Amino acid sequence: MAVFIPALIVLATVVAMEWVAWASHKYIMHGFGWGWHRDHHEPHDNLLEKNDLYAVVGAAMSISMFALGSEWVMGEGAWWPATWIGLGIMAYGLIYTLVHDGLVHQRYFKWVPKSGYAKRLVQAHKLHHATIGKEGGVSFGFVFARSPAALKAELRRQREAGIAIVRESAGA
């Protein structure tokens, strides 16, 4: 039982981080934080992007939680769940790095899935990149992806409503 509660906190944090990532991506990265995120949507040959600064923000959130949970840092005021929340944030960051940067954008390894959920993640994120600029768009999450057909229909609706400029190659 001593392991169950911490494991539950880590798992709940990983799940919650997908919502945090979705909201941050939709309202910050495609909002006032577009200056850091823009180069992620534009072709370039650079090893790093300004967008990678968002990973530093995520790391700072995790480190802050580890500090809040540490008696070494906080003394008797340490809040024990914070350590496990920090671990959940770190785990989500690792998942994000492997899925988004590795699988979808092929920054670390070259593998193109032919079927299954991995293919759906790649398709959903490619549809996210189908818009030009920060307006409109679909699929702001990183680990949970709606069906490509539903995302294409949403892009088509946004294009017809004048909400988003969709690249012709997107098929929406």
Side-chain angles (χ1 to χ4, degrees), residues 18 22 26 116-128 136-158:
E18 176 67 0
W22 174 88
K26 184 171 176 82
Y117 196 72
K119 180 179 180 181
R120 183 173 172 153
L121 284 172
V122 171
Q123 290 175 319
H125 200 71
K126 286 189 182 299
L127 289 167
H128 171 74
V138 295
S139 194
F140 290 92
F142 297 108
V143 179
F144 302 113
R146 290 170 49 207
S147 77
L151 297 173
K152 284 180 182 181
E154 175 62 19
L155 278 174
R156 195 173 310 109
R157 186 194 67 73
Q158 288 182 14

Side-chain angles (χ1 to χ4, degrees), residues 95-166:
I95 293 165
Y96 167 86
T97 298
L98 291 173
V99 171
H100 179 263
D101 291 344
L103 175 67
V104 174
H105 289 290
Q106 309 264 310
R107 287 175 83 179
Y108 310 128
F109 51 86
K110 305 290 182 211
W111 174 62
V112 179
K114 304 292 184 215
S115 64
Y117 196 72
K119 180 179 180 181
R120 183 173 172 153
L121 284 172
V122 171
Q123 290 175 319
H125 200 71
K126 286 189 182 299
L127 289 167
H128 171 74
H129 282 267
T131 57
I132 298 172
K134 68 179 186 174
E135 304 303 327
V138 295
S139 194
F140 290 92
F142 297 108
V143 179
F144 302 113
R146 290 170 49 207
S147 77
L151 297 173
K152 284 180 182 181
E154 175 62 19
L155 278 174
R156 195 173 310 109
R157 186 194 67 73
Q158 288 182 14
R159 184 183 63 213
E160 290 168 359
I163 296 169
I165 300 171
V166 179

Side-chain angles (χ1 to χ4, degrees), residues 40-57:
H40 181 66
H41 282 266
E42 297 171 348
H44 62 78
D45 292 327
N46 302 332
L47 178 64
L48 297 174
E49 306 171 342
K50 279 186 187 177
N51 184 67
D52 293 329
L53 292 169
Y54 285 112
V56 175
V57 172

Side-chain angles (χ1 to χ4, degrees), residues 69-86:
S70 169
E71 290 183 13
W72 183 68
V73 175
M74 301 299 292
E76 289 186 26
W79 183 53
W80 73 267
T83 299
W84 304 108
I85 293 169

